Amino acid sequence: METKNQLIIELHVNNHPGVMSHITGLFSRRGYNMEGILCGTIGEGETSIIYLLVAEDEKLEQIVLQLKKLYDVLDVKVRKNYDHAVFYNIEKLLAKGGV
Amino acid sequence: MKMTGAEIIVRLLEQKGIEKVAGIPGAANLHLYHALKESKIKHVLARHEQGAGFMAQGMARTTGRAGVCFTTSGPGATNLLTAIADAKLDSVPIVAITGQVASAAIGTDAFQEIDTYGLTVPITKHNFLVRKPEELLTIIPEAFHIAESGRPGPVVIDIPKDVQQQSCTFEAWPVFKEPGKGRPVTTNEVREIALRINEADRPVILAGGGVNTEESAALIIKLAETNNIPVTYTMRGIGCISPNHRLSLGMIGMHGTRYANALIEEADLLIALGARFDDRATGVSSNFCQNSEIIHIDIDASEINKIKKADYSLNASAEDVLREIIPFIQVNKREQWIDRFSELKSEMPYVSAPEEGEDIFHPLNIIKSVAHHVPEDSIISTDVGQHQMWVAQVWPFKNPRTFISSSGLGTMGFGVPAAIGAALANPRKKVVCFSGDGSILMNIQELVTMSENNLNITVLVFNNQSLGLVRQHQELFFSKNYMATQFEAKPDFPAIARAFGISGMDLTTSANPLDDLMNALEHPGPVLVNVPINTSEKVLPMVRPGAPNKDMIY
């Protein structure tokens, strides 16, 4: 599938209930687009990894700098190589016929 | 040790050196107030939570250290939001401690429950919701560290009632870390920047709020004088260089000086120090300094290249960079460039006012008279509107942290409570609050707080019976359609002041208005003075919204 000049921002974050609202809030507050989001805890559950699918455009530098300022964001990496299948086949996550 | 959450909060504030806190008690912070009874921290009771927030700002803006305010949950927290947002846009360190409903009630739409955490995400530097009393031992020192480090800003700590009430045991008190000052700068980086400055023909310094400290101001003047660089500043930069200094261009932007806006467009190098290229300063940013190279030094990495692409940038404390760079700066007379500066200055004189003898009530003349009369280190707060711009234009601010004004958010209602905060933090200084008949009504209840604390504040209400700055926009850009900007009712402000327990004076009916004004300034307690202003007076010069800065109406 075509990747439409998108890339992944990989965030390593503290894991507590408010973190996601800081990240999604930043995107809405500053008018950035987010095409996909994938999140899960790692290790003992103290921290999480969040993958954000975003467009590769002139806003990217600002997005990364603003994300780095967030207190609960421990690290930010931009990944150009990724398997985009997970974002485009999200409905396959649920088993067919399941409820 | 065993203590309740509330006791831990109060002890930690004492350890941080907090002497005064503004706030209002309510159901969700009563445990905190109960613990405050045993403390030497002075609590100043505001009459609206927004007032408490601006008092904390007044303390912070004049000292550089975090100001603290307390509110209860629900309406207490929502009332505070404007003051928090204001602190965010002007990078003011405050720590707001809000009560929250009991942990078990969160999410149930309990009485006075709102999502303070959610509401404050976009307007704080960071926020915390405390879940257990022992977390306070890390969160409170961390909140101050965040508020005061790097680019300062507001931090909210939302603390449920049960967390304040519960006890916990702990071994030792935490240590408050010194505020972070950004990464160290290397000699190579500094040399690179110094080379650009030394090689430039027509450099201009643009100073912002990030260099409005005593240390940075002294360094800017040293840099400017060594290399003969004209200096302009944003509204948040007012005070970093005296407007009477031979290299001062005065304020830039929408109501700045014409020669600052003109000269900066002729520069071949713009040196932006702790400034963020706000649209009120730059006008349409794509038109701003199109032909100059830009050096941008800011402690906030995300400000670099946000609005204007920098040719050279350093993400570090501007104060540190200035200190390191000065030894590499060559002495340069720059005669041609300084001559051009003088030429523009005489071609485009500063805002003019009639001679004082002719019109003492001209707002610029009133401001100049007051400035001549009060001590040089006086603190001036303003509300938002024409009076604010007139003060920014003509008050001879010589010292950092003496002009406190809502610049980024432009919040009417800022002036009175911010003046109270300034007076609380600087009990030996004179505080003058310039307000307008529009702005003052937005937090007039705090005159009671001023009265109760007998603070040395003179409030001057510039009364033009209208929302003057909005009216001015209607006159110039909306075909004189004065929709909703002219007041029909004319409140008797001195009578209101007296009703709140402070002295009130009206220059409208005064036989010797100037003498009366000077007497009011010398009065040791709080005074309010009504100053009649001609409704047709405008703030000029002015950049038409959407126009380039150099095309000013004057």
Side-chain angles (χ1 to χ4, degrees), chain B residues 103-373:
Chain B
S103 305
I106 289 180
T108 65
D109 301 320
F111 176 66
Q112 292 192 329
E113 185 199 355
I114 52 127
D115 178 11
T116 305
Y117 184 89
L119 285 171
T120 55
V121 165
I123 55 169
T124 51
K125 190 170 173 191
H126 190 57
N127 58 1
F128 295 96
L129 172 58
V130 186
R131 291 178 181 78
K132 289 178 284 199
E134 48 269 38
E135 286 180 5
L136 291 164
L137 293 159
T138 49
I139 287 175
I140 289 190
E142 198 59 15
F144 280 95
H145 190 253
I146 295 167
E148 292 179 337
S149 290
R151 178 181 184 178
V155 177
V156 167
I157 313 176
D158 197 31
I159 311 178
K161 197 159 70 170
D162 54 306
V163 174
Q164 298 169 42
Q165 187 180 13
Q166 282 163 14
S167 295
C168 71
T169 51
F170 55 100
E171 296 294 312
W173 288 108
V175 177
F176 282 86
K177 287 183 284 181
E178 283 297 307
K181 298 278 181 212
R183 66 173 180 86
V185 288
T186 67
T187 309
N188 274 347
E189 290 172 324
V190 163
R191 273 203 175 131
E192 172 87 3
I193 304 277
L195 185 70
R196 302 292 146 197
I197 297 174
N198 289 331
E199 286 185 349
D201 291 323
R202 302 181 306 282
V204 169
I205 292 171
L206 170 61
V211 285
N212 203 343
T213 64
E214 243 167 72
E215 299 76 14
S216 300
L219 292 164
I220 287 177
I221 292 169
K222 176 93 177 126
L223 168 66
E225 287 177 349
T226 306
N227 198 260
N228 275 293
I229 311 172
V231 182
T232 184
Y233 40 81
T234 68
M235 206 164 109
R236 289 281 291 124
I238 286 177
C240 69
I241 184 169
S242 161
N244 301 320
H245 189 284
R246 69 179 177 87
L247 290 168
S248 174
L249 284 162
M251 185 170 73
I252 194 178
M254 184 174 257
H255 294 295
T257 66
R258 289 161 63 207
Y259 50 89
N261 284 333
L263 193 75
I264 207 165
E265 293 301 328
E266 294 180 15
D268 66 346
L269 179 69
L270 178 67
I271 308 154
L273 303 169
R276 63 179 175 87
F277 297 99
D278 172 78
D279 55 281
R280 280 294 187 272
T282 64
V284 178
S285 63
S286 54
N287 289 335
F288 180 74
C289 285
Q290 277 172 301
N291 303 317
S292 53
E293 289 200 316
I294 296 176
I295 294 175
H296 193 180
I297 295 162
D298 203 291
I299 200 157
D300 180 351
S302 68
E303 286 304 336
I304 291 162
N305 298 335
K306 185 182 87 177
I307 306 283
K308 290 297 284 183
K309 184 95 186 134
D311 299 282
Y312 306 94
S313 62
L314 257 183
N315 167 222
S317 146
E319 182 192 326
D320 290 348
V321 175
L322 283 165
R323 191 176 296 110
E324 297 299 319
I325 208 170
I326 284 170
F328 298 102
I329 296 294
Q330 293 162 358
V331 174
N332 189 338
K333 285 206 166 73
R334 293 197 191 282
E335 279 163 356
Q336 268 188 314
W337 183 227
I338 298 301
D339 283 351
R340 179 63 186 148
F341 170 20
S342 312
E343 193 177 46
L344 281 175
K345 202 169 172 174
S346 54
E347 269 175 33
M348 304 176 165
Y350 203 14
V351 281
S352 54
E355 290 298 313
E356 284 177 40
E358 290 172 28
D359 184 1
I360 59 158
F361 285 121
H362 190 284
L364 297 177
N365 286 338
I366 292 277
I367 293 164
K368 286 178 187 170
S369 305
V370 176
H372 285 147
H373 202 79

